[in-house]
Amino acid sequence: MNTTDPIILFYGDMDKLGPGSDADTLAVLHMLPEQAYKRVVDAGCGTGRQTLVLANHLHTTIQAIDIYPAFLERLKHRAKAASLDQYIETLCMDMADIPAQFSNIDLLWSEAAAYSMGFHTALQHWYSSLKPGGILVASELCWTGKPIPVDVKHFFESEYPEMKSLQSHLGFIQQSDYQLLATHT
């Protein structure tokens, strides 16, 4: 483990690396059509909070992808402790390489990670890796209403200037090749 990497120093021992919860993951999972998801990819899995939930409920192999080996090692340890290791295959790779590495994905899941490629860019980029009728579940930080407190707006203008409104994301999806099934806030 690279103990000088600030990402590993700050996040390495955390089980949860972003917004969301097991309850949110399950709520979204239950919104999806009931079907066999044979090829499932968790893009930007981090230490695998949602990966474990998916494995526990889908009982199929989850290909968990992250660029940080330390996060993947933590996920392996947690999966083994939860007796879910037979369902989780970790791959140290960039999410941008998903279309080159995978095709015919039934379910591509990305909680709080697509932003690193740019949310719209990630959606466009990943589309070709889905099988016909395949499903993409992706979460994104967005403005949900007004008024936005000035200090909050200034913070995100400096930290995440690409942040858009929920309406902007929905408009993008409507103009894309995707069909929107549902949203969850």
Side-chain angles (χ1 to χ4, degrees):
M1 181 187 316
N2 180 353
T3 57
T4 61
D5 183 332
I7 297 293
I8 302 305
L9 285 170
F10 189 76
Y11 295 108
D13 291 333
M14 293 182 173
D15 291 336
K16 180 178 180 236
L17 301 182
S21 66
D22 292 358
D24 289 315
T25 299
L26 285 173
V28 172
L29 189 58
H30 293 309
M31 291 177 175
L32 303 181
E34 286 192 39
Q35 63 189 46
Y37 296 102
K38 294 178 183 173
R39 174 160 274 179
V40 179
V41 174
D42 184 4
C45 66
T47 57
R49 183 205 50 81
Q50 70 286 342
T51 316
L52 297 170
V53 173
L54 294 172
N56 190 44
H57 285 82
L58 296 176
H59 300 285
T60 193
T61 300
I62 312 296
Q63 293 171 309
I65 295 169
D66 205 281
I67 60 170
Y68 289 102
F71 291 170
L72 296 172
E73 286 303 315
R74 183 155 178 86
L75 170 54
K76 285 181 195 177
H77 181 296
R78 295 175 68 208
K80 186 172 177 99
S83 298
L84 294 170
D85 51 323
Q86 73 273 19
Y87 296 123
I88 297 173
E89 175 187 349
T90 60
L91 297 121
C92 189
M93 61 179 273
D94 192 313
M95 295 184 303
D97 295 333
I98 287 173
Q101 297 293 321
F102 297 98
S103 61
N104 294 313
I105 297 173
D106 294 294
L107 178 60
L108 177 52
W109 196 279
S110 185
E111 281 192 42
Y115 79 93
S116 67
M117 290 178 61
F119 186 68
H120 294 178
T121 300
L123 269 59
Q124 289 171 321
H125 192 70
W126 292 338
Y127 186 80
S128 66
S129 60
L130 294 170
K131 77 173 196 179
I135 296 173
L136 169 65
V137 172
S139 65
E140 172 66 338
L141 184 64
C142 62
W143 301 113
T144 58
K146 292 184 180 180
I148 301 165
V150 172
D151 289 345
V152 172
K153 186 163 180 57
H154 287 151
F155 172 80
F156 281 105
E157 284 173 347
S158 69
E159 296 301 316
Y160 188 34
E162 297 84 21
M163 190 164 148
K164 297 178 179 5
S165 69
L166 176 60
Q167 290 308 103
S168 173
H169 292 306
L170 294 176
F172 172 80
I173 292 167
Q174 287 174 341
Q175 294 174 4
S176 73
D177 291 326
Y178 289 100
Q179 177 185 356
L180 182 66
L181 296 177
T183 62
H184 174 76
T185 303

